[in-house]
Amino acid sequence: MRSFTFDASTGRVVFGAGAIDYLPSEVERLGASRALVLSTPQQARIASDLSMRLGERRVGIHPHAVMHVPIEVARTAIEEAGRLGADCVIAAGGGSTIGLAKAIALQSALPILAVPTTYAGSEMTPIYGLTEEGLKKTGRDARVLPKTVIYDPCLTLDLPLKMSITSGFNAIAHAAEALYADNANPISKLMAEEGIRALVRGLPGLREDPQDLNSRSHCLYGAWLCGAVLGMSNMALHHKLCHVLGGTWNLPRAEIHTVILPHVLAYNAAAVPDAMERIERAMGTPNAVSAIVALMQRLGTPMSLEELGMKRADLVRAALLVMELPYHNPRPVTYEGVLALVEDALMGRVDCS
Ligand code: NAD
């Protein structure tokens, strides 16, 4: 066995249907008594519910999180936390809300208690992002990693089906890429494989009944593991492509991850047989790429970049941008290779051989 380093940098997790009941005691456990609850405007009701549960341990609600953490939105939230004398921030929502909490923590070192309601996984990573003048900058800082995460599948029951499914594929993509990361290790691979297994088990059940708590539980458990491995693994071609396509053409994020996933797996397959074997084991099928495509078809996800609004005329620029600052990737990344990949992704044409 090769030597490895395992950095278990995730916080405390409280998981289960009804786990949100522990919110007051978990805030107390952090030594906090003045919690500021964050959400998006659309999820203000959850923020208000959590705030009610906190009783005297709350100082306010700030339901103003938006996608990609614009710097002005972050500054307002930081000022609000300071004005109210908050000693902890509670992020109730998806990656946008958790991203805003991270911006506050980065500046003030306040502890974050995250209550995720999507499968994006930001709550498990020390990665933050801030958008200034249309440019998103990301970084890593231990201060932004939530100290506590409460995963309550009951709070995900209202996540719309389409969003749930693409969010689930987004999580699978985190794990797939972690399986062949240059810093992968036996533990991160175990977690990634189990994360994929849990999502592949949960997602079809959501298609049948989005309110099914058991399926929701599997998905959220999978999302936790996939988020955790995202936080501990170096990203490769898949994430690079998604950052370029999302950042430059403002395509919907979870949908891009979904559409791109089988293409990058096909691109890398021959170079990473162990990763493919783990995906196949997790999915219970002999061909990882065709299994992913079949699952996408079964769950009715978008299949092509064209469906997301990408134009053929944009492909050359996309390939050039990927080549500008390529991430490590197990198969060498070439301009011709990336161009062929995005051409196939545009049309939803996957090489499953
Ligand atoms: P999101 O947080 O933007 O949420 C999308 C929409 O869904 C919002 O309107 C939100 O209010 C709503 N929503 C969330 N949960 C809901 C629920 N249970 N029921 C009904 N509506 C709900 O989406 P996201 O995909 O979770 O996060 C995307 C953002 O997170 C991006 O900016 C991305 O870059 C970031 N992200 C960061 C990391 C990291 O490690 N830093 C990891 C993953 C994603």
Side-chain angles (χ1 to χ4, degrees):
M1 183 185 275
R2 278 173 36 197
S3 309
F4 63 90
T5 304
F6 176 67
D7 189 356
S9 58
T10 64
R12 173 179 165 86
V13 167
V14 182
F15 187 99
I20 199 62
D21 289 348
Y22 296 106
L23 180 69
S25 56
E26 289 299 325
V27 168
E28 189 178 355
R29 199 171 188 279
L30 288 174
S33 57
R34 300 179 62 78
L36 175 64
V37 185
L38 311 177
S39 73
T40 59
Q42 296 85 343
Q43 288 190 285
R45 205 163 51 85
I46 288 199
S48 152
D49 174 54
L50 299 199
S51 168
M52 294 293 283
R53 288 169 180 268
L54 287 169
E56 291 184 347
R57 291 189 183 275
R58 64 177 179 228
V59 285
I61 301 174
H62 189 75
H64 304 296
V66 293
M67 196 76 146
H68 301 312
V69 199
I71 191 93
E72 312 74 42
V73 173
R75 283 190 187 124
T76 307
I78 291 163
E79 275 167 29
E80 184 71 347
R83 188 181 68 75
L84 293 169
D87 60 4
C88 132
V89 277
I90 298 180
S96 299
T97 305
I98 294 166
L100 183 60
K102 287 178 169 183
I104 297 176
L106 189 65
Q107 182 81 21
S108 63
L110 289 183
I112 300 173
L113 187 155
V115 183
T117 61
T118 71
Y119 308 135
S122 177
E123 68 282 356
M124 279 291 135
T125 82
I127 306 165
Y128 64 87
L130 280 167
T131 304
E132 191 165 9
E133 290 172 6
L135 200 68
K136 187 165 180 177
K137 289 188 186 143
T138 57
R140 278 179 177 261
D141 194 302
R143 281 175 298 178
V144 309
L145 185 75
K147 297 279 182 287
T148 306
V149 180
I150 298 181
Y151 282 111
D152 187 338
C154 298
L155 301 181
T156 64
L157 292 176
D158 291 337
L159 186 64
L161 179 62
K162 272 190 175 170
M163 223 191 269
S164 302
I165 288 176
T166 50
S167 193
F169 274 97
N170 181 8
I172 292 175
H174 296 331
E177 192 117 306
L179 283 172
Y180 54 70
D182 58 354
N183 63 344
N185 61 66
I187 313 302
S188 65
K189 289 183 188 182
L190 271 181
M191 293 168 76
E193 184 180 329
E194 175 68 356
I196 295 172
R197 184 173 293 113
L199 280 152
V200 168
R201 189 166 170 193
L203 288 172
L206 292 192
R207 175 96 174 142
E208 301 298 312
D209 176 9
Q211 298 281 314
D212 180 50
L213 196 52
N214 194 36
S215 301
R216 287 285 181 192
S217 300
H218 286 301
C219 289
L220 198 57
Y221 168 62
W224 160 19
L225 295 174
C226 294
V229 294
L230 172 71
M232 62 181 75
S233 310
N234 294 334
M235 297 175 204
L237 177 60
H238 174 92
H239 282 85
K240 177 70 192 185
L241 262 166
C242 293
H243 292 162
V244 164
L245 298 177
T248 314
W249 287 278
N250 205 18
L251 303 182
R253 202 183 145 276
E255 283 86 341
I256 306 174
H257 278 274
T258 308
V259 167
I260 288 296
L261 175 62
H263 296 278
V264 175
L265 286 182
Y267 186 88
N268 282 330
V272 287
D274 172 61
M276 294 300 125
E277 203 180 294
R278 285 177 181 271
I279 297 171
E280 285 154 11
R281 206 158 54 212
M283 299 190 74
T285 52
N287 180 321
V289 180
S290 64
I292 290 287
V293 172
L295 188 64
M296 289 167 66
Q297 286 167 338
R298 182 175 165 202
L299 299 180
T301 71
M303 303 298 295
S304 69
L305 290 178
E306 199 171 35
E307 284 169 75
L308 306 184
M310 187 97 183
K311 302 273 180 284
R312 178 165 292 279
D314 297 328
L315 298 183
V316 165
R317 180 151 178 244
L320 287 171
L321 286 171
V322 168
M323 295 310 296
E324 258 179 23
L325 205 69
Y327 295 3
H328 162 87
N329 192 62
R331 175 179 161 191
V333 177
T334 61
Y335 169 75
E336 292 73 21
V338 176
L339 187 60
L341 190 161
V342 287
E343 264 169 2
D344 283 347
L346 184 80
M347 305 311 295
R349 198 172 47 209
V350 188
D351 175 8
C352 296
S353 57

